[in-house]
Amino acid sequence: THRVLAIDATLAPRDPRAPGQFGRPVAVPDGKQEEAKSRWKEGNFNVYLSDMIPVDRAIADTRPAGCSDQQVHDDLPTTTIIMCFVDEVWSTLLRSVHSVLSRSPSHLIQEVILVDDFSTKEYLKEKLDQYMSRFPKVKVLHLKERHGLIRARLAGAEIAKGKMKAILQARLEPHQSYLQHWVLQCDSELVISIFSSFSYMTVDNFQRGIFTWPMNFGWRQIPQEIIVKNKIKETDVIRCPVMAGGLFSIDKKYFFELGTYDPGLDVWGGENMEISFKVRHSWKLILGNDNPYSFPKDRVRTVERNLARVAEVWLDEYKELFYGHAYHLVLKNLDVGDLTQQIQLRKKLQCKSFRWYLENIYPDLDAPLVKASGLLLNIAKARCITVVNTTLALEACDVNNKHQHFNYTWLRRIQHGELCIVPTGTTVSLRPCQPSSPSMAWLHRALAAFQPQLTDHLISEHLQQPTCLEVDPSGKALRVSVCNSTNPHQKWQFGSYYAD
């Protein structure tokens, strides 16, 4: 082993007085504010300032103390770095390439592949090829049609020659030794951390990659008691339930063994969840930005469809939590496409269940299988709904009576086994549950917040006028009637609540 190499090579001497040199702040000159403002839309950042800053500059070392003292193996594998872009700002793209090459040990860089995803800017064609020709290890792949970020990465991965494949965004500047930190544990752990390697990233407060429902990626601080208990240091690898999609490195052979990305995912969004679940469920180790990519179609619709594909393949029975938090996808009966190949791949990889993932990888995720369960008590009568053969009745409550057990599901069903309570005219009956049928949905508690006075009611969602489940005054029959906030015969309570 040897200490990580501190490398920052340059093709020509750097001007110490240049704007932004050593990461110093830069201001738009007087009289240029309007021009800078007009150019903002070129990249959704201050393009004017980017063009002022040298494409080959030094930056301050903001890594945690101790990173420069780490030991790495003498025979680290070679890496192909893949950067995908579409209509990227010239100075930003060049600065990314210069910084990667300047701060990487040359023997570890197999190549840098720039994947041009059918850009419309002329400077990203022949001019880019001519500029990059000065770097023997840089290749520019011009795609003949728009692939989208996910498939553009796959196009780069297909031609990559390095043992490792590193995905980078085309607007970044890595620190010295970033690549050595990446591949530090590659012999035993095939998916590795990118924490503390890039100038805009930080391990302040020990952040880790997580997701919340409906699979929204984010960063969350590790609790202080966990840091103290496990004596976690800033230089330690931060293990994450899921990773960010824009920056990661993986053994190329293993990436293809995992089936790469789901080819049914469009443009960008959800691919980080999918690769995280693949790696985690097959029990390899994952360690751990506004995206500049444009969407030919509706952005929200594309990302939602991608996430729904991931949910259908990987979440097992917990996919109802995803749909419960994104219920509009149920209402529009979203078409996620053919999942046969991905389901077969999961079986081939012998992946563990999502329940295992929750118990072993992400135990702090709040993931109750249902919103409420147990007895369904009518407040006025203090009696419970009971299944009698295939009909419904109101009887004395008995927690040991399995015919009185109901679940209030994330899909808003009142469910008993495979049967759901459904309004039929002015009465109610039991019917086989159908996940996409709006007629089976009931609003209760937080879902009825649009009418706060009805939060204890069970409101049939699909009827034009708010209609509630109630017991007739005799206490013998169930029916639906116009909601009345003061009617106790329309107020219900489940035995246990697990979510709002």
Side-chain angles (χ1 to χ4, degrees):
T1 62
H2 63 272
R3 185 178 174 181
V4 292
L5 303 175
I7 296 174
D8 192 5
T10 181
L11 297 178
R14 292 170 173 149
D15 180 359
R17 296 167 297 178
Q21 194 68 270
F22 309 112
R24 289 192 297 255
V26 186
V28 176
D30 292 339
K32 295 294 184 179
Q33 282 83 0
E34 285 302 315
E35 181 179 352
K37 183 178 179 180
S38 68
R39 296 194 62 196
W40 186 279
K41 61 181 180 294
E42 295 177 28
N44 293 318
F45 62 91
N46 199 323
V47 175
Y48 186 92
L49 281 185
S50 177
D51 288 352
M52 290 177 57
I53 299 170
V55 295
D56 181 12
R57 68 162 176 172
I59 57 175
D61 187 352
T62 58
R63 293 173 298 168
C67 282
S68 59
D69 296 323
Q70 288 188 319
Q71 296 289 310
V72 297
H73 297 296
D74 294 330
D75 56 348
L76 293 176
T78 59
T79 295
T80 292
I81 292 177
I82 300 171
M83 294 183 179
C84 301
F85 63 91
V86 58
D87 291 338
E88 187 55 84
V89 172
W90 175 259
S91 60
T92 307
L93 179 60
L94 265 55
R95 192 175 300 110
S96 299
V97 174
H98 274 277
S99 63
V100 163
L101 293 174
S102 296
R103 301 182 186 113
S104 304
S106 60
H107 68 284
L108 294 182
I109 292 284
Q110 178 74 38
E111 61 204 340
V112 176
I113 299 177
L114 303 180
V115 184
D116 168 22
D117 193 9
F118 203 56
S119 294
T120 61
K121 306 295 186 184
E122 283 302 315
Y123 62 77
L124 295 174
K125 304 302 181 182
E126 184 177 352
K127 181 180 178 181
L128 179 64
D129 293 343
Q130 291 177 348
Y131 188 95
M132 293 302 165
S133 65
R134 71 187 67 185
F135 303 117
K137 292 192 176 185
V138 177
K139 301 176 182 178
V140 183
L141 173 62
H142 296 286
L143 301 180
K144 303 303 182 184
E145 61 182 8
R146 180 67 58 82
H147 281 45
L149 178 60
I150 296 170
R151 296 187 185 105
R153 288 175 177 174
L154 292 178
E158 288 285 352
I159 64 173
K161 296 179 180 179
K163 184 178 184 298
M164 300 295 298
K165 176 182 72 71
I167 297 292
L168 303 186
Q169 292 181 356
R171 45 175 68 172
L172 52 77
E173 295 179 75
H175 279 302
Q176 299 176 24
S177 75
Y178 78 100
L179 190 59
Q180 299 162 83
H181 289 304
W182 264 17
V183 296
L184 180 60
Q185 303 184 38
C186 281
D187 289 341
S188 58
E189 297 169 346
L190 299 178
V191 182
I192 48 129
S193 171
I194 46 76
F195 284 99
S196 74
S197 294
F198 293 85
S199 57
Y200 71 87
M201 297 192 72
T202 175
V203 292
D204 290 351
N205 301 322
F206 297 94
Q207 302 282 325
R208 62 172 186 154
I210 56 94
F211 74 88
T212 55
W213 300 109
M215 285 200 289
N216 295 320
F217 177 81
W219 300 96
R220 180 176 295 170
Q221 182 180 356
I222 299 174
Q224 184 63 33
E225 61 269 21
I226 300 297
I227 296 174
V228 174
K229 177 181 177 181
N230 295 280
K231 300 179 180 180
I232 300 175
K233 305 185 298 294
E234 282 189 313
T235 54
D236 288 343
V237 169
I238 304 295
R239 290 177 168 83
C240 302
V242 291
M243 66 180 184
L247 304 166
F248 78 100
S249 182
I250 187 170
D251 180 273
K252 180 187 174 182
K253 181 174 180 290
Y254 179 52
F255 182 62
F256 281 93
E257 287 176 354
L258 287 175
T260 67
Y261 293 121
D262 172 5
L265 302 181
D266 290 330
V267 191
W268 165 80
E271 79 283 359
N272 62 316
M273 298 292 176
E274 192 224 9
I275 200 71
S276 297
F277 292 152
K278 278 182 178 178
V279 174
R280 282 304 204 184
H281 284 61
S282 60
W283 192 226
K284 301 291 183 182
L285 185 60
I286 286 183
L287 318 169
N289 336 340
D290 283 345
N291 194 288
Y293 240 78
S294 61
F295 287 76
K297 300 178 183 179
D298 178 78
R299 177 187 182 276
V300 173
R301 187 180 307 168
T302 300
V303 173
E304 286 178 339
R305 180 184 178 276
N306 288 353
L307 290 173
R309 283 183 67 91
V310 174
E312 290 287 344
V313 174
W314 295 100
L315 299 195
D316 303 328
E317 68 270 28
Y318 290 88
K319 69 182 180 183
E320 284 203 5
L321 277 89
F322 169 77
Y323 287 113
H325 287 84
Y327 192 69
H328 60 287
L329 301 181
V330 177
L331 296 178
K332 66 183 181 182
N333 199 19
L334 179 69
D335 180 12
V336 298
D338 186 6
L339 298 170
T340 304
Q341 181 181 355
Q342 296 306 304
I343 292 172
Q344 290 176 345
L345 175 63
R346 180 177 172 179
K347 292 179 179 177
K348 177 183 175 182
L349 294 173
Q350 298 181 331
C351 295
K352 293 179 170 62
S353 68
F354 193 76
R355 180 184 292 274
W356 177 93
Y357 170 86
L358 291 176
E359 292 173 349
N360 294 273
I361 306 300
Y362 197 4
D364 47 322
L365 177 66
D366 188 21
L369 279 171
V370 294
K371 293 173 71 70
S373 68
L375 302 178
L376 184 47
L377 171 76
N378 181 264
I379 300 299
K381 296 296 183 179
R383 294 168 71 86
C384 293
I385 297 180
T386 308
V387 176
V388 180
N389 296 321
T390 58
T391 63
L392 295 168
L394 207 65
E395 296 184 355
C397 298
D398 180 359
V399 293
N400 297 315
N401 186 349
K402 63 181 181 180
H403 300 295
Q404 293 185 349
H405 186 93
F406 290 87
N407 288 328
Y408 184 48
T409 74
W410 288 99
L411 296 183
R412 307 181 180 184
R413 289 11 176 190
I414 304 175
Q415 187 167 343
H416 176 79
E418 300 299 320
L419 301 176
C420 287
I421 297 180
V422 183
T424 51
T426 59
T427 63
V428 292
S429 60
L430 285 173
R431 299 282 177 83
C433 297
Q434 298 175 3
S436 60
S437 174
S439 65
M440 294 188 170
W442 299 85
L443 303 181
H444 185 54
R445 289 288 179 99
L447 293 177
F450 67 98
Q451 294 198 38
Q453 71 276 16
L454 299 179
T455 54
D456 290 330
H457 293 53
L458 286 165
I459 308 170
S460 182
E461 185 179 29
H462 78 293
L463 301 176
Q464 292 182 351
Q465 187 177 19
T467 303
C468 290
L469 179 66
E470 73 173 21
V471 181
D472 70 7
S474 70
K476 295 180 179 180
L478 296 169
R479 64 189 185 189
V480 290
S481 184
V482 175
C483 294
N484 181 345
S485 63
T486 63
N487 185 353
H489 294 87
Q490 292 185 356
K491 296 185 178 182
W492 302 89
Q493 183 175 329
F494 283 91
S496 299
Y497 288 87
Y498 311 105
D500 292 332

